[in-house]
Amino acid sequence: MQGAEHYKEAERLMTICNSCRYCEGLCPVFPAMELRNEFADGDLDYLANLCHSCGACYVDCQFSPPHEFEVNVPKTLAEVRADSYRSHAWPTALRPMFDRNGLAIATVAAASIATFILGFALWHDRNALFTKDGQFYRLMPHEAMAGLFGAVFLFAIVALVMGFRSFWQSIGASSVSAGSGTTLWQAIRDACALRYLDGGGIGCYNEDERPTDNRRLFHHFTFYGFMLCFASTSTATVYHYAFGWPAPYGWLSLPKLFGISGGIGLMIGPIGLLHAKLTRDRALMDPAKFGMDTAFLAMMLLAGLTGLLLMVLRETPAMSLMLAIHLGVVFSLFLTMPYGKFVHGIYRFGALMLYAAERKTEQPASVARPTALQAKEAV
Ligand code: SF4
Ligand code: SF4
């Protein structure tokens, strides 16, 4: 099946589920569905991004295959979710990045690493390349590093904001004031606790019909690992510019403590999620997006691993090579953020905000339905 067929199938399933309602206590998808009588593309984007693919509704469903109704909500919503990433991406010219996402991200990563290695080799004398003094800025001046990474980070933020804006309009979130302070706070709490990734309280299905909390645990490691690494870079920037304290920092300094704990989180989380993905029941997954999912996890894992190796090897002749690899990985991670699985966190957060607003008003965000497709096409 392709884009439009995914939406058609999701509409068919939501219509069946809306008559059945057996799964209404499992997750927010079903209560949000019950507020609606019909399902435009924007509604399906919203429901798909509320779904965590926990698998509970597939295991519980009396109409799942081999029943002739062939109800498979997790797989169908995973397909719509992936389509929503592509159809809201900005700028439109870069939407094809989602088509062979694993290959695209691997190519950008390899090219970035090669460019940093080549750059270090061409612009430095042999002594600087094999220095053991741990001074990064002898290989790449701080201003150049901050300028390059600041520019790519800014581009990623603009692209993510534009994509989110299109998604927000598509799901009709402004029609129920989903951007208010209380819904924002509720969505932050739900997202930080991964509140709904538990199959209605019993855990998440993966390789068999015994649910566990493993996927939630490894999502936590990945998310908080990423946030700690971000905190490490941010505190180092404040140290440098506000206090005039340049790197390197001691092992007990805040940038180092954040960086070490974040790097460990970015190794444990993605390894656990990769294992879960490789062993997962294929019936629950969108096989076409296997490359996108694994590329995202591989990039997170590489960012954590190369960051930790750089710390350990900092005062050895391997430092310059490790620095080039780490910078290449982080640069490509930023550059490809708006065109890969990273966006799922942003869109899910938007869907949680709308869900919090709808729960409060018991009103669906239906006003924007006629403009949902227009919003997609306009961007
Ligand atoms: S997934 Fe199956 S059991 Fe659950 S609401 Fe839909 S049709 Fe009913
Ligand atoms: S897979 Fe889980 S999160 Fe998704 S709709 Fe089914 S029960 Fe809800």
Side-chain angles (χ1 to χ4, degrees):
M1 277 195 283
Q2 306 249 342
E5 290 166 335
H6 295 153
Y7 283 84
K8 212 168 145 200
E9 174 65 0
E11 188 184 6
R12 182 184 78 87
L13 297 193
M14 289 299 101
T15 305
I16 296 172
C17 291
N18 222 357
S19 306
C20 167
R21 302 195 169 188
Y22 180 76
C23 296
E24 64 184 359
L26 290 180
C27 73
V29 171
F30 297 96
M33 170 200 76
E34 288 172 13
L35 290 176
R36 291 158 167 81
N37 294 319
E38 51 188 33
F39 302 95
D41 286 5
D43 297 304
L44 296 169
D45 281 352
Y46 165 50
L47 297 176
N49 282 282
L50 269 184
C51 170
H52 280 284
S53 252
C54 74
C57 61
Y58 180 77
V59 175
D60 289 357
C61 184
Q62 59 270 40
F63 303 122
S64 59
H67 191 281
E68 61 184 322
F69 285 3
E70 295 197 323
V71 172
N72 187 338
V73 176
K75 179 171 182 283
T76 304
L77 291 189
E79 289 166 342
V80 170
R81 203 160 50 241
D83 289 339
S84 75
Y85 305 157
R86 190 190 194 284
S87 58
H88 297 293
W90 181 92
T92 50
L94 292 179
R95 287 179 185 169
M97 283 274 289
F98 282 97
D99 296 340
R100 300 188 70 190
N101 193 256
L103 179 66
I105 288 183
T107 306
V108 172
S112 302
I113 292 169
T115 305
F116 275 100
I117 292 175
L118 206 63
F120 284 4
L122 290 178
W123 273 285
H124 294 284
D125 64 43
R126 202 173 175 284
N127 291 338
L129 277 181
F130 296 100
T131 178
K132 290 199 264 180
D133 62 9
Q135 298 292 331
F136 294 163
Y137 304 136
R138 280 186 65 194
L139 291 158
M140 185 170 186
H142 184 271
E143 292 71 23
M145 211 184 276
L148 182 66
F149 281 85
V152 75
F153 186 65
L154 190 65
F155 167 75
I157 294 295
V158 170
L160 287 169
V161 167
M162 293 299 286
F164 182 78
R165 188 170 153 264
S166 168
F167 174 73
W168 190 252
Q169 287 171 350
S170 160
I171 65 175
S174 47
S175 70
V176 286
S177 305
S180 76
T182 47
T183 58
L184 177 66
W185 177 236
Q186 184 63 51
I188 289 172
R189 285 168 53 195
D190 293 345
C192 288
L194 291 177
R195 179 174 169 190
Y196 299 113
L197 191 66
D198 65 353
I202 55 171
C204 188
Y205 293 88
N206 202 53
E207 64 273 20
D208 54 32
E209 295 196 358
R210 282 171 299 173
T212 69
D213 242 357
N214 289 349
R215 277 184 80 229
R216 178 150 72 165
L217 178 72
F218 292 125
H219 268 89
H220 274 309
F221 271 112
T222 307
F223 174 71
Y224 287 108
F226 180 82
M227 295 308 284
L228 283 165
C229 287
F230 188 70
S232 169
T233 309
S234 304
T235 46
T237 305
V238 171
Y239 277 15
H240 187 95
Y241 288 109
F243 300 115
W245 301 338
Y249 303 110
W251 288 99
L252 294 179
S253 65
L254 279 181
K256 268 285 201 311
L257 292 175
F258 286 148
I260 292 169
S261 46
I264 292 170
L266 275 188
M267 289 189 64
I268 295 173
I271 286 173
L273 289 174
L274 277 169
H275 178 259
K277 192 153 288 298
L278 292 171
T279 56
R280 192 154 217 227
D281 182 351
R282 292 291 179 263
L284 299 171
M285 297 166 62
D286 171 10
K289 292 296 172 280
F290 188 79
M292 176 175 76
D293 296 350
T294 47
F296 169 70
L297 292 172
M299 288 302 290
M300 287 289 187
L301 175 59
L302 275 175
L305 177 66
T306 57
L308 289 176
L309 280 175
L310 184 57
M311 276 188 212
V312 174
L313 299 175
R314 182 164 192 153
E315 292 180 2
T316 74
M319 187 271 273
S320 59
L321 181 63
M322 278 318 305
L323 181 64
I325 294 173
H326 183 61
L327 292 181
V329 168
V330 175
F331 182 83
S332 52
L333 182 66
F334 283 166
L335 194 62
T336 58
M337 254 180 195
Y339 312 106
K341 188 65 187 284
F342 186 86
V343 295
H344 94 291
I346 315 267
Y347 289 8
R348 180 153 293 156
F349 186 73
L352 284 171
M353 282 178 74
L354 177 54
Y355 182 65
E358 287 190 343
R359 256 196 321 181
K360 213 163 62 174
T361 60
E362 290 294 315
Q363 292 290 322
S366 56
V367 180
R369 266 186 219 164
T371 62
L373 286 173
Q374 295 163 7
K376 272 188 201 173
E377 283 161 8
V379 178

